[in-house]
Amino acid sequence: SMKDVEVIKAHNTLSPRARTNFEKRLRVAAYCRVSTDSSDQVNSFMAQMQYYNDYIRQNPNMVLVDVYADEGITGTSIEKRPEFKRLLRDCENHKIDRVIVKSVTRFARNSLECLETIRTMQSCGVSVYFETDNIDTANMNSELLLYIKSAFAQGEALAASARIQTSIRMKMENGTYVVSSAPFGYRYELGKLIVVPEEASIVREIYDWYLSGKGFDAIAATLNRRDGGG
């Protein structure tokens, strides 16, 4: 249970005796983005608290300072993350030795913000460990810097793709979507798709062949033979 874990809140001052007990242990903080969706139990606040309590309990050389949790899974600017700002303040006040985060994309909005924050924490003597990426900023090198940049680049590309797909779907739903060229079987006429009868008959044949069990290669071969013979 969570009671097994000794938690030392960052704002508390330890007594000399308590400090002696903990001085050899790494003061660890966890930063997470928690989901506000009630159905997303994996990313809920309680699930994250339980996870990091278990994590610290399995590492006797660590003591948990606090779990800093902002709402929302996707990255947003630091200004919109009060818990992240509190984490930075506690790092600057030398109350933390190490920060654990699930992934680089949960930590910052983009690679520049991520690297700048890492450098700020390093200047305070704080290292960051990104679990799923298996990156430890205590051992930063050029290869890891490239990894951080590529991780955000991939995320940005996926986000852009999702935005385009959403835009296309919305346009299709309201009837305003226009492709750059008419698909086979149609032609554009005054901005509208008009059926081309001779091409449409071929499209119908393709569907009939496919539904009868013919594969793509067999259909293509049949069309090629017929075109070649014509």
Side-chain angles (χ1 to χ4, degrees):
S1 68
M2 293 188 193
K3 293 180 180 178
D4 298 332
V5 180
E6 296 167 284
V7 178
I8 303 299
K9 290 288 184 180
H11 56 77
N12 287 351
T13 302
L14 294 179
S15 65
R17 179 176 294 181
R19 186 171 297 282
T20 301
N21 292 337
F22 288 105
E23 63 185 3
K24 293 181 180 179
R25 298 168 74 179
L26 207 61
R27 298 170 301 169
V28 177
Y31 177 72
C32 56
R33 310 299 303 279
V34 295
S35 176
T36 54
D37 182 354
S38 59
S39 64
D40 187 4
Q41 291 300 308
V42 174
N43 291 302
S44 70
F45 179 72
M46 290 306 297
Q48 296 296 302
M49 283 291 292
Q50 184 66 60
Y51 174 80
Y52 287 113
N53 273 276
D54 291 344
Y55 184 98
I56 297 300
R57 187 166 63 245
Q58 292 166 13
N59 291 274
N61 63 322
M62 296 179 179
V63 58
L64 183 64
V65 171
D66 210 344
V67 176
Y68 302 75
D70 280 311
E71 293 182 351
I73 297 301
T74 55
T76 53
S77 65
I78 289 175
E79 288 72 23
K80 296 179 182 178
R81 293 190 283 161
E83 283 289 275
F84 194 76
K85 290 169 73 175
R86 185 168 73 90
L87 172 65
L88 286 174
R89 285 197 303 272
D90 288 342
C91 287
E92 289 165 355
N93 289 326
H94 304 290
K95 295 176 180 178
I96 297 167
D97 300 313
R98 188 164 175 79
V99 176
I100 301 171
V101 192
K102 249 328 184 226
S103 67
V104 293
T105 52
R106 295 281 178 93
F107 188 64
R109 181 179 49 178
N110 53 54
S111 58
L112 178 61
E113 185 178 87
C114 184
L115 293 169
E116 285 180 346
T117 306
I118 287 171
R119 291 191 183 104
T120 298
M121 289 183 169
Q122 283 182 322
S123 70
C124 301
V126 179
S127 62
V128 186
Y129 178 61
F130 300 101
E131 291 183 275
T132 56
D133 307 292
N134 195 25
I135 287 180
D136 188 346
T137 66
N139 306 307
M140 285 291 280
N141 56 35
S142 57
E143 186 177 335
L144 294 183
L145 293 177
L146 285 172
Y147 176 86
I148 289 172
K149 290 179 179 178
S150 66
F152 280 100
Q154 182 182 14
E156 287 159 6
L158 290 172
S161 175
R163 284 196 299 272
I164 292 168
Q165 288 178 22
T166 301
S167 174
I168 291 172
R169 187 175 67 251
M170 290 175 68
K171 287 179 179 178
M172 284 180 169
E173 287 172 356
N174 63 29
T176 60
Y177 179 66
V178 178
V179 294
S180 57
S181 60
F184 185 78
Y186 297 87
R187 72 172 186 275
Y188 270 123
E189 194 171 289
L190 300 175
K192 292 184 178 181
L193 288 172
I194 306 298
V195 173
V196 179
E198 58 271 22
E199 291 182 0
S201 64
I202 298 171
V203 172
R204 292 189 190 97
E205 278 187 306
I206 291 171
Y207 275 99
D208 288 340
W209 289 333
Y210 181 74
L211 292 173
S212 69
K214 267 192 175 183
F216 297 124
D217 291 340
I219 292 171
T222 301
L223 290 170
N224 288 330
R225 280 197 303 271
R226 191 166 71 183
D227 291 344

